[in-house]
Amino acid sequence: AMAGEGSTFRLRCSLLGHGQDVRGLTRGLFPEGGFVSVSRDRTARLWAPDGLNRGFTEMHCMSGHSNFVSCVCIIPPSDLYPRGLIATGGNDHNICIFTVDNPAPLYVLKGHKNTVCSLSSGKFGTLLSGSWDTTAKVWLNDRCMMTLQGHTAAIWAVKILPEQGLMLTGSADKTIKLWKAGRCERTFTGHEDCVRGLAILSEMEFLSCANDASVRRWQISGECLQVYYGHTNYIYSISVFPRCKDFVTTGEDRSLRIWRQGECAQTIRLPAQSVWCCCVLDNGDIVVGASDGIIRVFTESLERTASAEEIQAFENELAQASIDPKTGDLGDINADDLPGREHLKEPGTRDGQTRLIKDNGKVEAYQWSVSEGRWIKIGDVVGSSGATQQTSGKVLFEGKEYDYVFTIDVNENGPSYKLPYNITDDPWLTAYNFLQKNDLNPMFLDQVAKFIMDNTKGQTLLSTSNQFSDPFTGAGRYVPGSSSGSSTIPGADPFTGAGRYVPGSASNAVTPMSGVDPYTGMGAYQSAAAKVENIYFPKKDAVTFDQANPTQILGKLKELNGSAAEEHKLTEDDLIILEKLLSATCNTSSETPTAQQLQTLWRAVNWPEDIVFPALDILRLSVRHPTVNENFCSEKEHGQFIILLLKFLNPKGKQANQLLALRALCNCFVSHAGQKLMMEQRDEIMTQAIETKSGNNKNIHIALATLTLNYAVCLHKVNNVEGKAQCLSVISTVMEVVQDLEAIFRLLVALGTLISDDTNAVQLAKSLGVDSQIKKYASVLEPAKVKECCRFVLNLL
């Protein structure tokens, strides 16, 4: 039974099993009341409550990592795995997925370039991982779907929020980021050191803890509601009690703290320097893991409390612990000024208060327990730390953990340098890199290497995995949210008056593909009784922008040519050449475009951006012709062609150019060469194109939706998971801002095409919350195609 408010936690049991630091804990789903622990000893262990007494039994031990295991989470049950799965992350850069009854992994997720130090699971089988490589990754089953890039240092904490599509990451760069559908929506600043842990309070609020020894409570909207102080050193983990806002924290000050109504209500000291992790079980009991390799469970329930002998043994162990004064956990200690044992006759004023006394030249530390009304000895304060190696892995340097961080003075009066070192590293290589990094004389190599070996007493581990590979990932990866969208105020339409050439004025006319055309709704009338048939998706062919008025386009080109600077002016012959190209590509003549025509067009599309739009429009129309498509999209030419079009997608540029560049990209999909190029450059193009959503121009939104649709058509044919994930993220992001129903319709067709015949894509769309985004379109009256298409998509979700 849950005990009443203000009652005290006492030891329930101590569990031995792990050989080294226990680094991660999570409550299990199966068996009920159990939990999973992971450790530096490279194993994960599943513990079940012991029916007869107050303890737990180790059900089984899981191995799959070749190095320390640093984090763990449970993936909720699915039809395939009704007992859920266990995910663990390690210093070997991998994530292992286990079933609850097999000691070997079901599969291994590879992709991170450094230690995986945090995991969180969401609905529909999604898993979020955070790593020292500065990225977080979203996985679905055994595939990486997205990489979240934006932090500048290790990501120590990740959490998937209850509202679909929202994710949080906390980093050694001192910030927390909120991601929606794979794009960074907001950055929370306030912590003064590495953020180490996150915990969810509700859909609107969460907690974070950090190396600055504080806990902060935040609103999703960005506001910091409260800061809690109590710990005297790094806080490593935070966990929330079920059904309330109270929480527990653990840290480097040897303590577990219980917080009620925003106050630290109880402090429990442990006989270990680093209390790495904690989790709260369904019954409200707290499990903690520490650097001594022991798991301890604390409870408020009297029937689950340990026997008097066990509690006495725990207190004796605590009393014999040696506390290093240099950690600062007990404040500045001056042994000469300390009172004697008589000082313990005075009661303490609050729970967890510490008091130091001197007895026979020895300094002892005590802590006040309010519930028991007595001082409990928490250890002897020793002059030097006798605990470098036991607490190994706790030294932080530039946001990463090392076994040692040495301070090296090269000469008396010069600066001192920090040298981080792991016992898995090679001392000579480390010394060499250290001298290189700090521009120091290579003649110190022997000295520095010898210094490392002397000070680590020659300790090396068997494994020589190179954990500290380059923390920066290669280019060309999908980076959602890497560039911040800039919203430009939609300028007035630059073209006025009737009869003038306005690029894309007749934007919505799309030539029918085959049979019933979903874009104009021709032939879509059916009697109410007939079953509505899905004529919308999966779409098989690209959608192009074909509407053209060559006379107007050429008229505008001539007019602007008249006012162009000398170096840009086209001759009369050039204009005739472009006229021929237009008639060749708009099917008014049967001639094939020539190389000369394409060179002239290339000169025209490189005009200054305020007059280039008629030339861009000619490009938009001509790229549909196989010869032109092959010319601009082939291996030789395509680099410059793409650079040119991407340049026009800048949201700060002219809207006419953004529109025509998007349409030209859409039209590239008509031929094989164009499709190949569009798919190769997908990352770049999509990342740039999505920025054009910021101007509220409906024609631009329709073109952007069409580009997404054309990508969906290609991705439906090849099963490219990262591509589909990026496309889904774009659809979800653009849906938020688009009002125009034609654009919405095209996004719905794109969505339907992407998720047709692909259960992974369906799950990913659900986890991004796309179904809740599109529900409102199921009741649109006009045009009927929006409602019908939306309902077909919802049927799949």
Side-chain angles (χ1 to χ4, degrees), residues 226-452:
Q226 205 171 351
V227 185
Y228 309 89
Y229 295 103
H231 281 277
T232 55
N233 207 326
Y234 300 164
I235 306 177
Y236 292 135
S237 88
I238 183 161
S239 189
V240 178
F241 283 105
R243 295 172 295 282
C244 68
K245 292 204 169 177
D246 296 340
F247 58 93
V248 294
T249 50
T250 65
E252 183 60 23
D253 57 6
R254 316 158 56 88
S255 77
L256 152 72
R257 293 175 194 249
I258 290 112
W259 302 78
R260 298 184 198 273
Q261 277 123 29
E263 297 292 320
C264 178
Q266 190 184 352
T267 303
I268 298 174
R269 302 272 169 178
L270 295 178
Q273 181 65 52
S274 312
V275 190
W276 290 118
C277 51
C278 61
C279 72
V280 178
L281 301 178
D282 287 336
N283 60 11
D285 288 5
I286 302 167
V287 187
V288 294
S291 51
D292 58 3
I294 298 174
I295 297 167
R296 295 179 178 85
V297 186
F298 295 88
T299 184
E300 291 178 298
S301 141
L302 293 172
E303 57 261 34
R304 291 196 297 273
T305 303
S307 65
E309 297 83 57
E310 287 171 280
I311 289 182
Q312 192 54 56
F314 172 66
E315 286 186 10
N316 295 346
E317 196 186 353
L318 193 57
Q320 284 153 20
S322 23
I323 298 173
D324 175 5
K326 289 206 289 291
T327 59
D329 298 343
L330 302 166
D332 294 330
I333 298 169
N334 184 347
D336 305 338
D337 304 343
L338 293 174
R341 187 165 291 286
E342 69 286 349
H343 191 44
L344 296 178
K345 293 202 170 71
E346 294 168 36
T349 51
R350 59 184 174 79
D351 194 79
Q353 177 187 1
T354 52
R355 197 166 269 184
L356 301 177
I357 61 150
K358 198 167 160 188
D359 193 31
N360 295 330
K362 263 189 359 187
V363 177
E364 298 179 358
Y366 286 81
Q367 171 180 308
W368 180 251
S369 163
V370 167
S371 58
E372 305 192 21
R374 65 188 178 102
W375 291 98
I376 296 172
K377 184 178 175 193
I378 58 170
D380 294 308
V381 179
V382 292
S384 72
S385 162
T388 46
Q389 205 46 47
Q390 287 87 323
T391 62
S392 75
K394 83 164 188 63
V395 199
L396 263 115
F397 178 65
E398 293 177 347
K400 293 186 188 166
E401 293 181 325
Y402 294 89
D403 292 328
Y404 300 92
V405 175
F406 299 114
T407 303
I408 307 257
D409 295 301
V410 183
N411 51 30
E412 307 286 279
N413 38 21
S416 58
Y417 298 92
K418 291 275 188 242
L419 167 60
Y421 180 74
N422 274 309
I423 48 186
T424 50
D425 295 346
D426 175 292
W428 294 94
L429 187 61
T430 304
Y432 173 77
N433 289 338
F434 165 76
L435 296 172
Q436 291 278 94
K437 179 181 172 184
N438 295 297
D439 284 335
L440 299 170
N441 191 327
M443 67 176 215
F444 291 124
L445 183 65
D446 284 6
Q447 269 172 281
V448 175
K450 188 172 180 318
F451 171 86
I452 294 173

Side-chain angles (χ1 to χ4, degrees), residues 473-635:
T473 52
R477 304 274 303 286
Y478 166 46
V479 188
S482 53
S483 48
S484 57
S486 64
S487 59
T488 51
I489 294 145
D493 189 319
F495 310 104
T496 51
R500 304 229 2 235
Y501 158 63
V502 180
S505 47
S507 60
N508 297 358
V510 177
T511 46
M513 296 298 158
S514 59
V516 178
D517 166 37
Y519 294 95
T520 56
M522 287 192 292
Y525 170 75
Q526 281 148 327
S527 71
K531 178 161 174 10
V532 179
E533 176 195 0
N534 183 357
I535 50 172
Y536 303 111
F537 61 82
K539 191 116 185 65
K540 296 286 193 288
D541 306 293
V543 175
T544 51
F545 288 91
D546 303 319
Q547 182 272 330
N549 185 333
T551 334
Q552 276 194 344
I553 297 174
L554 288 164
K556 195 72 191 173
L557 188 71
K558 285 174 185 164
E559 178 194 323
L560 292 168
N561 191 44
S563 58
E566 280 311 312
E567 70 267 24
H568 297 302
K569 265 202 172 43
L570 299 172
T571 63
E572 279 303 314
D573 289 352
D574 291 336
L575 292 168
I576 293 166
I577 287 170
L578 289 177
E579 191 169 354
K580 283 196 173 145
L581 173 64
L582 254 182
S583 65
T585 55
C586 290
N587 304 330
T588 43
S589 79
S590 54
E591 292 169 33
T592 303
T594 65
Q596 184 193 25
Q597 289 169 1
L598 295 178
Q599 280 156 6
T600 309
L601 174 59
W602 186 249
R603 274 179 33 225
V605 291
N606 280 287
W607 269 9
E609 66 168 326
D610 51 337
I611 60 171
V612 73
F613 63 87
L616 271 183
D617 217 359
I618 298 175
L619 176 66
R620 181 259 309 183
L621 288 164
S622 30
V623 81
R624 298 169 309 159
H625 193 288
T627 316
V628 184
N629 196 293
E630 181 64 42
N631 178 76
F632 284 128
C633 300
S634 67
E635 297 297 325

Side-chain angles (χ1 to χ4, degrees), residues 150-151 161 163 166-170 175-180 182-189 203-204 206 218-224 481 484:
H151 283 293
L161 282 152
E163 189 190 321
L166 290 183
M167 298 176 179
L168 288 169
T169 53
T175 71
I176 300 161
K177 288 182 184 290
L178 173 72
W179 307 79
K180 176 151 197 188
R183 294 167 64 82
C184 181
E185 288 268 301
R186 185 169 294 119
T187 300
F188 302 79
T189 53
E203 288 204 350
M204 300 315 296
F206 66 92
W218 305 87
Q219 239 170 350
I220 296 286
S221 56
E223 193 187 343
C224 179
S484 57

Side-chain angles (χ1 to χ4, degrees), residues 70-249:
S70 42
C71 55
V72 59
C73 84
I74 298 290
I75 297 173
S78 61
D79 297 345
L80 202 52
Y81 301 105
R83 293 171 165 187
L85 294 169
I86 296 164
T88 59
N91 280 48
D92 56 4
H93 314 178
N94 292 343
I95 299 165
C96 290
I97 308 289
F98 297 91
T99 56
V100 291
D101 39 21
N102 190 337
L106 184 64
Y107 51 84
V108 178
L109 306 177
K110 293 176 184 284
H112 278 296
K113 300 206 169 35
N114 210 321
T115 296
V116 177
C117 51
S118 181
L119 291 166
S120 173
S121 63
K123 294 178 182 159
F124 315 109
T126 44
L127 180 68
L128 175 62
S129 60
S131 162
W132 290 0
D133 66 13
T134 77
T135 73
K137 286 181 182 290
V138 182
W139 308 80
L140 183 62
N141 305 328
D142 55 350
R143 308 287 285 277
C144 176
M145 290 292 176
M146 293 182 186
T147 298
L148 310 181
Q149 283 184 331
H151 283 293
T152 54
I155 295 181
W156 276 104
V158 296
K159 274 282 181 281
I160 295 183
L161 282 152
E163 189 190 321
Q164 288 168 9
L166 290 183
M167 298 176 179
L168 288 169
T169 53
S171 163
D173 65 13
K174 309 179 190 171
T175 71
I176 300 161
K177 288 182 184 290
L178 173 72
W179 307 79
K180 176 151 197 188
R183 294 167 64 82
C184 181
E185 288 268 301
R186 185 169 294 119
T187 300
F188 302 79
T189 53
H191 278 297
E192 287 155 32
D193 205 340
C194 304
V195 178
R196 295 299 290 263
L198 292 166
I200 307 297
L201 287 171
S202 68
E203 288 204 350
M204 300 315 296
E205 287 183 23
F206 66 92
L207 297 164
S208 60
C209 64
N211 282 358
D212 61 11
S214 78
V215 172
R216 286 174 176 259
R217 182 160 66 92
W218 305 87
Q219 239 170 350
I220 296 286
S221 56
E223 193 187 343
C224 179
L225 300 172
Q226 205 171 351
V227 185
Y228 309 89
Y229 295 103
H231 281 277
T232 55
N233 207 326
Y234 300 164
I235 306 177
Y236 292 135
S237 88
I238 183 161
S239 189
V240 178
F241 283 105
R243 295 172 295 282
C244 68
K245 292 204 169 177
D246 296 340
F247 58 93
V248 294
T249 50

